[in-house]
């Protein structure tokens, strides 16, 4: 790269360095200025194209700027449709609710009312926690190791990550933590431990209002809860009169191969939180789904100005109608998930000294490494060669693929070719360094 080109790039980023807070994170991992996006691809201001295996941290399950959603939104805006509606009834909200009822709830035999919260997943979690405590009249909410539910104070209290918890500035309480499925090794059902401490009046654990769980822990390292474990957890909740809250913010909207991540386990949560890809094209939108008998809110008791993003209702309805109106989309996601599993398995087999295991399910998979620095270096190398992919896990040790569900098989293979080359570049260099050091 010439000095002139380097100066141009530095100047194009100067406003970010001058005015943006140091809290930024993704910009550090992907140091360019993005300009356009379509489908599975991002393009920066220099015209370089990148395959996107991050997709807005799972908020773009249907890819960038889907043409049907874009057309629906442009038509709505040009017709002077309502943009901000608080929680008033609008045509856009009506169509979204009708589509969600007809295409998601009714086919699955589910009867939830929909609470539109503030625009983020954390808003949906805060509403769920508050409602559970109101219903049961108890303060505690059980959470799980490596769980992640948001960084507002209530959601942070049920989040395990030390880095995020340390930023709270105040004590985070009322959330006993229990080992997630597999945390204590294979063959240990941690729901038995939960049942035992709740049954023992001397355990020191006061009966909580609810349990909050991710069926597939996204930020926690792609740890998967088994179906039997989830069914056992549901039984423990019923036995001890606790509500079961499933956080489906990252793993929902088709990411695991079904619309809800818990469908495979055949459980029925009391409360579900959804956000991220619910709007279809990355517009802010979040909901808390509440079993009808539990909808005890008083009017306005929990509110928020931006719970009526009608643009998100428009694109959300378009997404549901396009992808969930038939029976072909979910099987297609599962087929692509098998391809992702095969490619990650091949990587893990090629580098057994550095790869611990392949984790995840559906289109939410990755490979756990022996160190977070290795994983970070691999993602950096992949980015230099045109692939956006991130890490997750307690120490950033998991190379995690969140490609759009609409990514073609050719594009998936193209992305994994880049990723395999990044493993070779990083791990091959380290192997050569070890050999050179040993020879010396």
């Amino acid at each position: 790269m010439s000095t002139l080109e380097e100066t141009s790039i530095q100047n194009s980023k100067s406003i970010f360095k001058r005015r943006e807070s140091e809290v930024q994170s993704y910009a550090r991992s992907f140091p360019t200025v993005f300009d356009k996006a379509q489908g599975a691809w991002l393009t920066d201001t220099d015209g370089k194209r990148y395959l996107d295996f991050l997709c807005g941290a799972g908020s773009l399950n249907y890819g960038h700027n889907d043409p049907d959603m874009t057309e629906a939104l442009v038509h709505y805006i040009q017709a002077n449709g309502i943009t901000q509606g608080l929680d008033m009834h609008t045509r856009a909200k009506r169509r979204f609710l009708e589509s969600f009822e007809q295409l998601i709830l009714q086919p699955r035999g589910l009867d939830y009312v929909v609470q539109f919260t503030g625009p983020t997943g954390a808003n949906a979690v805060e509403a769920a926690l508050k409602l559970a405590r109101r219903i049961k009249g108890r303060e505690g909410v059980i959470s799980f190791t490596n769980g992640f539910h948001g960084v507002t104070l209530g959601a942070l209290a049920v989040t395990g990550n030390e880095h995020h918890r340390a930023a709270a500035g105040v004590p985070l309480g009322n959330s006993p933590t229990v080992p997630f499925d597999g945390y204590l090794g294979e063959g240990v059902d941690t729901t038995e431990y939960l049942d035992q401490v709740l049954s023992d009046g001397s355990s020191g654990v006061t009966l909580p209002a609810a349990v909050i769980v991710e069926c597939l822990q996204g930020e926690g390292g792609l740890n998967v809860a088994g179906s039997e474990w989830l069914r056992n957890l549901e039984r423990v909740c019923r036995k001890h009169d606790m509500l079961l809250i499933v956080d489906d913010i990252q793993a929902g909207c088709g990411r695991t191969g079904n619309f809800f991540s818990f469908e495979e386990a055949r459980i029925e949560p009391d409360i579900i939180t959804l956000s991220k890809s619910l709007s279809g094209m990355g517009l802010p939108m979040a909901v808390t789904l509440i079993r009808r008998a539990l909808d005890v809110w008083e009017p306005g008791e929990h509110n928020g100005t931006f719970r009526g993003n009608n643009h998100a209702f428009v694109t959300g309805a378009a997404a549901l109608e396009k992808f969930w109106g038939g029976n072909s989309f979910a099987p297609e996601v599962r087929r692509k998930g098998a391809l992702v599993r095969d490619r990650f398995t091949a990587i893990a087999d090629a580098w057994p000294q550095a790869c611990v295991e392949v984790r995840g399910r559906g289109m939410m998979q990755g490979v756990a490494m022996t160190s977070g620095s290795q994983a970070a270096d691999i993602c950096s190398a992949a980015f230099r060669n045109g692939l956006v992919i991130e890490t997750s896990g307690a120490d950033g040790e998991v190379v995690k693929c969140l490609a759009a569900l609409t990514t073609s098989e050719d594009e998936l293979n193209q992305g994994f070719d880049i990723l395999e080359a990044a493993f070779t570049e990083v791990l091959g260099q380290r192997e050569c360094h070890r050999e050179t050091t040993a020879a010396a």
Side-chain angles (χ1 to χ4, degrees):
M1 182 181 294
S2 69
T3 303
L4 182 62
E5 289 174 322
E6 291 178 348
T7 302
S8 176
I9 290 172
Q10 290 171 358
N11 289 341
S12 72
K13 297 176 183 176
S14 63
I15 185 63
F16 303 114
K17 184 174 179 61
R18 192 165 66 249
R19 288 299 174 193
E20 192 170 3
S21 166
E22 289 298 320
V23 79
Q24 61 182 286
S25 59
Y26 287 110
R28 301 177 190 276
S29 300
F30 311 113
T32 190
V33 179
F34 293 105
D35 182 36
K36 298 178 182 178
Q38 181 65 55
W41 295 89
L42 287 161
T43 305
D44 68 14
T45 52
D46 294 321
K48 183 174 179 178
R49 299 178 77 222
Y50 301 82
L51 265 170
D52 190 359
F53 277 18
L54 172 59
C55 286
S59 62
L60 292 163
N61 279 5
Y62 311 109
H64 294 273
N65 294 316
D66 175 88
D68 296 304
M69 295 182 215
T70 301
E71 181 181 0
L73 181 57
V74 170
H75 176 76
Y76 181 82
I77 292 172
Q78 290 179 336
N80 293 322
I82 299 292
T83 297
Q84 159 62 288
L86 299 173
D87 70 351
M88 292 184 286
H89 296 166
T90 66
R91 176 171 58 87
K93 182 194 282 190
R94 178 174 61 198
R95 182 166 178 176
F96 173 79
L97 284 171
E98 288 173 346
S99 298
F100 193 76
E101 178 183 65
Q102 294 166 13
L103 301 176
I104 304 302
L105 295 180
Q106 289 179 347
R108 292 162 179 78
L110 300 174
D111 185 24
Y112 294 100
V113 298
V114 181
Q115 178 183 358
F116 294 99
T117 64
T120 74
N123 294 133
V125 169
E126 295 283 355
L129 299 178
K130 184 191 289 188
L131 180 62
R133 288 168 170 139
R134 189 189 191 286
I135 291 168
K136 294 301 182 182
R138 308 177 205 136
E139 296 179 354
V141 175
I142 295 284
S143 58
F144 291 92
T145 51
N146 288 309
F148 182 87
H149 303 283
V151 295
T152 51
L153 288 181
L156 194 56
V158 292
T159 289
N161 186 276
E162 181 181 6
H163 171 71
H164 293 294
R165 292 178 65 90
V170 296
L172 299 169
N174 297 319
S175 180
T177 303
V178 172
F180 189 70
D181 190 19
Y183 187 80
L184 298 179
E186 292 184 12
V188 179
D189 186 346
T190 57
T191 65
E192 294 179 359
Y193 165 79
L194 176 59
D195 184 24
Q196 179 65 30
V197 297
L198 293 177
S199 300
D200 184 355
S202 295
S203 69
V205 179
T206 304
L207 185 65
V211 164
I212 185 166
V213 67
E214 299 160 275
C215 299
L216 200 173
Q217 294 182 325
E219 300 307 305
L222 298 180
N223 308 302
V224 180
S227 293
E228 183 178 0
W229 186 87
L230 287 168
R231 289 192 290 270
N232 289 340
L233 178 62
E234 184 180 48
R235 282 194 286 270
V236 172
C237 288
R238 303 295 173 244
K239 176 180 176 179
H240 294 282
D241 188 34
M242 303 181 297
L243 298 183
L244 175 59
I245 304 170
V246 168
D247 181 337
D248 232 8
I249 288 165
Q250 188 167 116
C253 297
R255 177 55 62 177
T256 63
N258 295 299
F259 186 85
F260 295 111
S261 66
F262 57 81
E263 290 183 52
E264 186 175 282
R266 300 187 304 280
I267 63 173
E268 190 170 331
D270 297 297
I271 301 173
I272 304 163
T273 59
L274 287 173
S275 184
K276 286 196 182 282
S277 284
L278 189 59
S279 75
M281 62 182 299
L283 298 177
M285 180 182 181
V287 301
T288 301
L289 305 182
I290 307 163
R291 196 155 50 82
R292 186 173 297 276
L294 301 176
D295 185 23
V296 299
W297 289 119
E298 296 290 337
E301 189 175 14
H302 185 92
N303 58 34
T305 301
F306 293 102
R307 64 195 188 279
N309 183 351
N310 282 255
H311 291 173
F313 297 154
V314 170
T315 57
L320 293 173
E321 292 160 12
K322 178 173 182 175
F323 295 103
W324 299 97
N327 299 315
S328 63
F329 186 62
E332 179 184 333
V333 173
R334 291 192 285 271
R335 284 194 299 271
K336 291 177 183 176
L339 185 158
V340 171
R341 170 69 58 162
D342 289 344
R343 294 300 304 259
F344 269 126
T345 299
I347 288 172
D349 290 345
W351 301 99
Q353 77 279 16
C355 298
V356 177
E357 62 181 347
V358 177
R359 296 179 183 171
R361 180 155 59 94
M363 292 286 283
M364 188 173 177
Q365 297 190 60
V367 60
M369 310 290 295
T370 54
S371 79
S373 63
Q374 285 182 338
D377 288 347
I378 287 164
C379 290
S380 294
F383 177 71
R384 289 194 297 272
N385 291 295
L387 177 68
V388 174
I389 191 168
E390 71 162 342
T391 63
S392 72
D395 299 306
E397 74 281 9
V398 180
V399 178
K400 171 186 176 184
C401 176
L402 284 178
L405 312 184
T406 53
T407 307
S408 71
E409 291 188 8
D410 285 346
E411 289 167 332
L412 285 173
N413 281 316
Q414 185 176 345
F416 272 98
D417 288 346
I418 296 171
L419 187 60
E420 283 187 349
F423 271 80
T424 300
E425 176 185 334
V426 173
L427 299 180
Q429 287 176 352
R430 294 190 180 202
E431 188 64 35
C432 288
H433 175 72
R434 281 195 293 269
E435 292 175 357
T436 301
T437 302

